[in-house]
Amino acid sequence: VSAFQRYTVGLEDPNKLPTDLTLSQQTVVVDRNGVELARFGGEKREVVDFKDIPPIVIDAQTAIEDKTFWDNAGFDPLAIIAAGIDGLRGNSRGASTITQQLVRQRLLDPALVQDPHRQAERKIKEIIQSIRLTEAFPGVEGKQKNIAAYLNQTYYANQAYRVKPAANSYFRNPDPHHPPPPTTP
């Protein structure tokens, strides 16, 4: 009990996430008719709700990052054990769930996350916060909020945050508001 208390001191309230998801976005300048003139800011990010994310994107993300996402309590003990065994064999790999990754990005002190000498402490706090977040947002609706928050937070390269700007970047349409003209045969 005292160890648990020690690790929970100073942790963020998980209830603020994902409902209080404030993310930086580009500043968009439009004229009086609503025509976009310019965008400023380095991050290509558009915050979206779960209902606006294609199911295939959700399925792909959970298949790659966290096969037990819809059923786990915020962490996957079997994945942690398997990663520990692999680590002993010299094949280190991650075992963090989507919820743990979201917690690391949004609910842990950045100094803790970046300090390689405090990795065990970070993992323990990550698991505690993941459980607390899953309890704060229970059921399928809670999982939907958490994965939407995760996908709105995740960096996909080329200054693109979230799947839509990343897809636009990767598929040669860097400006989703001004698609390229159709090609004529």
Side-chain angles (χ1 to χ4, degrees):
V1 171
S2 70
F4 179 79
Q5 285 179 330
R6 187 180 117 218
Y7 284 113
T8 58
V9 169
L11 289 178
E12 296 267 350
D13 178 9
N15 286 301
K16 80 172 200 175
L17 183 83
T19 56
D20 184 26
L21 187 63
T22 53
L23 301 167
S24 61
Q25 299 185 61
Q26 289 181 318
T27 299
V28 180
V29 178
V30 294
D31 69 10
R32 65 178 153 223
N33 298 318
V35 176
E36 183 177 317
L37 299 174
R39 287 179 173 257
F40 300 99
E43 296 178 357
K44 299 172 189 166
R45 185 191 320 253
E46 294 177 46
V47 178
V48 295
D49 294 325
F50 178 83
K51 66 180 176 41
D52 298 323
I53 302 170
I56 194 164
V57 171
I58 302 290
D59 292 345
Q61 196 72 47
T62 56
I64 292 168
E65 293 290 334
D66 184 1
K67 292 172 184 61
T68 67
F69 173 75
W70 296 102
D71 302 314
N72 67 41
F75 74 107
D76 186 349
L78 295 177
I80 293 169
I81 292 168
I85 292 169
D86 284 352
L88 292 173
R89 293 180 179 158
N91 300 323
S92 62
R93 64 178 178 91
S96 294
T97 62
I98 286 172
T99 308
Q100 285 177 268
Q101 293 175 50
L102 178 61
V103 162
R104 185 180 319 125
Q105 294 170 348
R106 300 291 296 182
L107 293 175
L108 290 183
D109 178 10
L112 172 64
V113 172
Q114 296 169 2
D115 189 344
H117 303 295
R118 298 172 63 192
Q119 186 174 3
E121 176 188 357
R122 176 181 57 86
K123 279 294 187 186
I124 291 168
K125 287 185 176 190
E126 206 174 272
I127 290 170
I128 291 168
Q129 281 292 70
S130 295
I131 294 168
R132 291 173 69 195
L133 183 61
T134 302
E135 288 174 351
F137 298 93
V140 173
E141 188 176 303
K143 290 287 188 172
Q144 290 173 348
K145 288 179 181 178
N146 288 340
I147 198 161
Y150 172 82
L151 291 170
N152 279 307
Q153 175 69 32
T154 301
Y155 177 66
Y156 287 96
N158 197 25
Q159 295 302 311
Y161 288 80
R162 207 193 69 66
V163 175
K164 184 178 177 182
N168 285 326
S169 255
Y170 289 123
F171 295 110
R172 306 277 186 231
N173 183 10
D175 186 351
H177 300 285
H178 294 96
T183 56
T184 54

